[in-house]
Amino acid sequence: MTAAKVFDVPGLGGVTVWGENAPRAFLCVHGAGGSRRDAEGFALRAAQTGWQAVACDLPEGLLPWDCVPYLRHLAARMRSRWPVLGLRATSIGAWLSLVALCDEPLALALFQSPLLDMVGMIERMLRQADVSREELAEQGEIRTDSGVLSWRYLVYAENNSGLSWDVPTSVIMGERDELVPHKSVEDFCRRFSADLTVVSGGAHWLHAPRELAAVAAWEADVLRGER
């Protein structure tokens, strides 16, 4: 595999591309606190099965009204170079990708610890903070111990719920994911016939050595078409 190449894409900032020239490529989308560097391990495995990988740094703040247009623009630029596109996304990156690319003809998607129900997530935060919808609507933003609640964000999520997803998809998550309810992922997998792998004892970020090994094995299986 050739060394990673870093490119500046007009209007999109820098992206990193891994792999030998190929007719297909994955768009790799990180989660909160992540970066395009997180994609390297997956990119190495993808290259072994004839895929290139393109990783980006999402706009600061991970706000959907910034990230969704960014991802749509990047996917369109990628489509002009690679006729076949796949998606590899983590945590909130999965939700942003779903909103951005729900109408994009993708060959394959891999989601790790995906946040798939943003409305449900915000509603849980409201309950935990003992804040009503009416209070949030009136104040616009409310700071809580678990983060900033935003009325604009909730409305955006509600307006982009119920999306269609016609992409062969495999999902992996930890048995003890502390951020994403299993039910939301299981409901998504049933609705869209996605494959689900659960890592025994795993937490949300799946960063422990045993968890990383499980993710690598899952990625390899999906890329070989064994899931």
Side-chain angles (χ1 to χ4, degrees), residues 47-224:
Q48 295 173 357
T49 55
W51 290 83
Q52 291 183 265
V54 178
C56 63
D57 287 323
L58 290 172
E60 186 176 356
L62 302 185
L63 299 173
W65 42 86
D66 295 329
C67 293
V68 167
Y70 175 92
L71 290 171
R72 285 176 178 160
H73 188 186
L74 179 53
R77 294 298 298 267
M78 288 179 64
R79 183 70 71 183
S80 67
R81 167 62 182 83
W82 293 280
V84 178
L85 295 185
L87 173 66
R88 171 67 169 88
T90 299
S91 193
I92 193 174
W95 178 70
L96 294 167
S97 298
L98 282 172
V99 177
L101 306 178
C102 60
D103 296 323
E104 185 76 23
L106 302 174
L108 182 64
L110 293 84
F111 291 159
Q112 177 179 332
S113 305
L115 173 53
L116 301 170
D117 179 11
M118 181 58 75
V119 174
M121 173 69 77
I122 296 172
E123 288 176 341
R124 285 192 300 278
M125 292 176 67
L126 285 169
R127 290 193 296 270
Q128 291 167 0
D130 195 23
V131 174
S132 69
R133 287 177 61 96
E134 292 74 21
E135 290 173 311
L136 185 59
E138 180 179 350
Q139 297 187 41
E141 286 189 353
I142 298 176
R143 294 188 177 277
T144 73
D145 291 340
S146 56
V148 177
L149 290 166
S150 163
W151 177 249
R152 181 184 179 187
Y153 208 125
L154 175 56
V155 171
Y156 187 101
E158 289 179 332
N159 288 341
N160 288 278
S161 62
L163 299 171
S164 61
W165 187 248
D166 187 23
V167 178
T169 302
S170 288
V171 179
I172 191 169
M173 71 180 304
E175 179 186 21
R176 299 177 181 175
D177 192 311
E178 68 279 17
L179 297 179
V180 176
H182 274 253
K183 185 178 186 304
S184 67
V185 176
E186 292 165 355
D187 288 348
F188 174 89
C189 290
R190 280 194 297 270
R191 181 180 177 191
F192 299 114
S193 301
D195 173 77
L196 175 60
T197 298
V198 177
V199 180
S200 176
H204 178 71
W205 291 112
L206 298 175
H207 279 172
R210 181 182 63 83
E211 297 166 356
L212 289 171
V215 171
W218 166 75
E219 290 173 339
D221 285 348
V222 174
L223 290 166
R224 289 194 300 262

Side-chain angles (χ1 to χ4, degrees), residues 26-43:
F26 278 100
L27 169 57
C28 300
V29 185
H30 63 80
S35 74
R36 54 183 160 165
R37 293 187 297 273
D38 299 343
E40 184 171 5
F42 173 75

